[in-house]
């Protein structure tokens, strides 16, 4: 996929990615225990940074509701966090793309921690107890996949040179 | 112009839009926590999403399949020998249990205890664990079609797992005893002390509101007390791992490690209790 800020992605393609991300989110990864890869959040952050024309608050909210449904979580728990992150990225994407890869990874980790923080507080409001630091393990593991996602999504297509 | 046809068109990310979505989320969460209006929807969603859990559980199943199929012959022989030994011990216990059961029935008749509770079980398999470390739940492959009901106790070979909290057509959701919203009445096998074991998250339970003079010790085995009528009496719940007294507090801080293998177990048992009332007339 070649980076082009103004070019929007097809809704069908986004819907397909979203379904795949939801599937990955509920997948149990061997040896990781309860830690899950928050692929939906990663997708929203990627769209927010590299395809901002494709990411609206509506899409982020809808993605969050889908994530709530597949995770059998209360409706709104993930939707709120993803909408807030999409809102922040709307104002940050220009500066964020100028950052080097390490700083960009830190930004992604920050977004994932913010998502987890909001989700944890919503859980705390119902259960009365705030989850411990171990709950943020999934944010760290998910952020480690950011370089891989960039490498796959932003790879340049091979152009065959005409035979001279 | 082409952008106008897009389903998720990008609009201005205004603060008003953010506030609107935040309000919608707060409204949905309030409905979820304060009412049961969304329960039918959530049951329907459980039915739709559970097959997806079965698919996404394939990596774990592949790993278990690999562990089972690529084990060395020596390891398998050792395992077979261990299972034979275990079987021998269990057969011995069953023989003792038959005598004890008959003796128990005679004693009940002598005491004129009218109610006998017999347990019928159904084997089920765990097909997935919903994400979220804060909430301890499982999805199992049995549902209303197999006469499951909300509140049904679930155990494994070692002890109590939890109870069924949502039943769909072919799948159900189980809330584990370690969940923070779960509580189970327990009794110490050593001293007979009764208490309520609440889930503490992080694979532990906690006994709350026990006065400092209560007779509990590290190593005590806790079983279900049967009070409340939801869980049958006598199933192992866990073992006390620490008893502490906080400064200035009139209560003990007691931590309990669950007896059941909550993190690793795959095959579970659902308990059905058939209450049979017998009129025991003295002879």
């Amino acid at each position: 996929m070649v980076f082009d800020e103004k070019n929007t992605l097809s809704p069908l393609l986004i819907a397909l990615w979203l379904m795949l991300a939801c599937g990955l989110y509920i997948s149990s990864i061997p040896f990781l225990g309860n830690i899950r890869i928050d692929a939906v959040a990663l997708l929203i952050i990627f769209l927010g940074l590299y395809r901002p024309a494709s990411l609206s608050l509506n899409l982020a909210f809808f993605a969050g509701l889908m994530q709530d449904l597949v995770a059998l979580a209360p409706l709104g728990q993930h939707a709120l966090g993803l909408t807030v992150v999409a809102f922040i990225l709307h104002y940050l994407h220009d500066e964020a793309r100028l950052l080097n890869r390490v700083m960009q990874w830190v930004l992604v980790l920050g977004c994932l921690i913010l998502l987890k923080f909001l989700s944890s507080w919503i859980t705390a409001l119902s259960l009365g107890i705030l989850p411990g630091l171990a709950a943020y393990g999934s944010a760290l593991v998910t952020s480690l996949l950011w370089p891989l996602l960039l490498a796959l999504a932003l790879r340049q297509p091979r152009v065959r040179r005409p035979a001279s | 112009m082409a952008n106008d046809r897009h389903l998720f068109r990008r609009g201005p990310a205004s603060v008003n839009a953010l506030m609107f979505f935040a309000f919608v989320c707060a409204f949905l969460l309030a409905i979820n926590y304060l009412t049961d209006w969304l329960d039918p929807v959530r049951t329907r969603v459980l039915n739709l999403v559970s097959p997806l859990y079965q698919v996404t559980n394939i990596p774990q199943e592949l790993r278990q399949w690999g562990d089972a199929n690529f084990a060395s012959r020596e390891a398998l022989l050792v395992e077979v020998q261990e299972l034979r030994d275990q079987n021998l011990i269990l057969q011995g216990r069953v023989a003792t249990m038959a005598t004890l059961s008959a003796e128990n029935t005679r004693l009940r008749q002598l005491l004129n205890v009218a109610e006998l509770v017999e347990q019928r079980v159904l084997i089920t398999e765990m097909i997935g664990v919903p994400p979220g470390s804060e909430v301890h739940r499982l999805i199992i492959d049995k549902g209303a079609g197999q006469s499951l009901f909300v509140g049904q106790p679930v155990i494994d070979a070692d002890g109590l797992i939890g109870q069924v909290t949502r039943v769909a057509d072919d799948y159900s959701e189980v809330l584990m005893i370690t969940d923070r919203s779960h509580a189970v009445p327990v009794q110490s096998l050593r001293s007979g002390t009764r208490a309520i074991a609440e889930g503490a998250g992080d694979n532990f339970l906690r006994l709350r509101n026990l006065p400092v003079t209560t007779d509990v010790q590290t190593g005590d085995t806790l079983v279900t007390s049967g009070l409340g009528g939801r869980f049958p009496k006598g199933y192992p719940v866990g073992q006390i791992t620490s008893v502490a007294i906080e400064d200035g507090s009139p209560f003990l801080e007691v931590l309990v490690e669950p007896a059941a293998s909550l993190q690793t177990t795959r095959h579970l048992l659902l308990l059905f209790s058939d209450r049979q009332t017998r009129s025991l007339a003295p002879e």
Side-chain angles (χ1 to χ4, degrees):
Chain A
M1 184 197 306
V2 184
F3 171 66
D4 180 359
E5 183 183 338
K6 286 178 183 162
N7 186 17
T8 54
L9 293 170
S10 139
L12 273 178
L13 187 64
I14 293 178
L16 185 69
W17 279 8
L18 197 54
M19 281 193 282
L20 283 173
C22 283
L24 189 57
Y25 178 57
I26 62 170
S27 297
S28 301
I29 311 293
F31 310 111
L32 282 186
N34 277 336
I35 291 177
R36 304 298 173 93
I37 293 166
D38 196 348
V40 181
L42 215 55
L43 174 65
I44 292 297
I45 293 170
F46 173 76
L47 290 176
L49 289 181
Y50 286 93
R51 292 283 182 163
S54 296
L55 180 67
S56 61
L57 292 191
N58 305 358
L59 171 61
F61 178 74
F62 178 74
L65 282 186
M66 253 187 93
Q67 197 176 3
D68 290 329
L69 285 176
V70 296
L72 303 173
L75 286 179
Q77 186 175 350
H78 294 96
L80 179 64
L82 284 180
T83 313
V84 170
V85 165
F87 179 80
I88 293 169
L89 290 179
H90 175 80
Y91 291 101
L92 278 184
H93 66 86
D94 281 334
E95 291 83 358
R97 277 202 311 272
L98 295 175
L99 297 172
N100 63 40
R101 288 291 161 94
V102 176
M103 290 309 292
Q104 212 174 67
W105 175 78
V106 172
L107 177 74
V108 170
L109 179 62
C111 287
L112 290 167
I113 287 174
L114 175 66
L115 278 170
K116 196 71 200 170
F117 181 75
L118 288 172
S119 167
S120 300
W121 267 99
I122 290 169
T123 311
L125 284 175
S126 63
L127 296 177
I129 304 166
L130 203 58
L133 283 176
Y136 293 89
S138 69
L140 185 64
V141 172
T142 305
S143 72
L144 294 175
L145 293 177
W146 177 251
L148 180 70
L149 176 69
L150 281 192
L152 287 173
L154 299 179
R155 71 182 189 278
Q156 298 289 335
R158 286 184 182 176
V159 180
R160 191 174 293 232
R161 287 184 181 176
S164 55
Chain B
M1 278 307 271
N3 285 352
D4 291 342
R5 294 203 312 272
H6 282 280
L7 180 62
F8 304 120
R9 213 170 6 158
R10 184 194 176 215
S14 68
V15 177
N16 288 343
L18 178 69
M19 295 306 288
F20 170 75
F21 284 120
F23 175 77
V24 172
C25 289
F27 180 69
L28 286 171
L29 287 165
I31 286 179
N32 186 77
Y33 288 125
L34 302 177
T35 74
D36 52 4
W37 298 347
L38 292 175
D39 276 6
V41 179
R42 292 173 68 83
T43 305
R44 199 54 73 84
V45 167
L46 177 64
N47 227 5
L48 290 173
V49 169
S50 296
L52 195 61
Y53 274 91
Q54 261 177 328
V55 174
T56 54
N57 205 33
I58 287 173
Q60 287 282 15
E61 286 180 2
L62 279 176
R63 184 195 153 202
Q64 284 169 355
W65 180 85
D67 288 347
N69 285 276
F70 297 110
S72 67
R73 188 171 177 275
E74 288 75 17
L76 286 173
L77 285 173
V78 168
E79 193 178 344
V80 166
Q81 190 55 46
E82 280 175 1
L83 287 172
R84 275 184 186 151
D85 294 347
Q86 203 176 6
N87 191 31
L88 206 61
I89 294 165
L90 288 174
Q91 276 181 344
R93 279 188 192 164
V94 166
T96 322
M97 282 294 287
T99 319
L100 285 172
S101 181
E103 192 178 350
N104 193 23
T105 309
R106 276 198 303 277
L107 287 170
R108 278 175 176 276
Q109 285 173 345
L110 284 173
L111 289 167
N112 203 15
V113 177
E115 196 176 73
L116 292 176
V117 179
E118 289 179 8
Q119 298 294 332
R120 188 164 59 85
V121 294
L122 177 68
I123 298 173
T124 182
E125 190 175 356
M126 188 266 286
I127 59 164
V129 181
S133 56
E134 305 90 12
V135 184
H136 295 210
R137 289 172 299 172
L138 298 172
I139 299 173
I140 56 173
D141 65 348
K142 297 283 188 293
Q146 289 78 30
S147 307
L148 263 66
F149 55 90
V150 172
Q152 187 166 16
V154 183
I155 62 168
D156 75 350
D158 301 316
L160 189 69
I161 291 278
Q163 61 177 298
V164 175
T165 49
R166 198 177 300 280
V167 181
D169 292 343
D170 298 311
Y171 304 94
S172 299
E173 189 183 83
V174 174
L175 189 70
M176 292 199 275
I177 52 172
T178 46
D179 189 273
R180 287 189 171 110
S181 62
H182 194 275
V184 52
V186 294
Q187 189 168 24
S188 166
L189 272 185
R190 182 186 59 81
S191 62
T193 306
R194 282 192 292 270
I196 302 289
E198 294 179 358
D202 303 330
N203 207 25
F204 271 99
L205 294 103
R206 187 171 280 130
L207 301 186
R208 285 194 187 275
N209 302 327
L210 280 183
V212 287
T213 52
T214 311
D215 183 11
V216 286
Q217 291 175 6
T218 304
D220 279 2
T221 301
L222 300 177
V223 296
T224 49
S225 67
L227 294 178
R230 175 147 298 189
F231 298 103
K233 191 179 175 183
Y235 283 95
V237 174
Q239 200 169 36
I240 294 177
T241 52
S242 80
V243 180
I245 306 170
E246 286 188 12
D247 290 341
S249 170
F251 300 113
L252 292 169
E253 186 72 25
V254 183
L255 282 181
V256 179
E257 190 180 0
S261 316
L262 297 173
Q263 303 296 326
T264 54
T265 191
R266 286 194 62 78
H267 293 95
L268 314 168
L269 289 173
L270 291 152
L271 297 181
F272 293 85
S273 62
D274 300 328
R275 290 176 179 273
Q276 295 176 341
T277 307
R278 293 184 185 179
S279 54
L280 301 172
E283 292 177 1

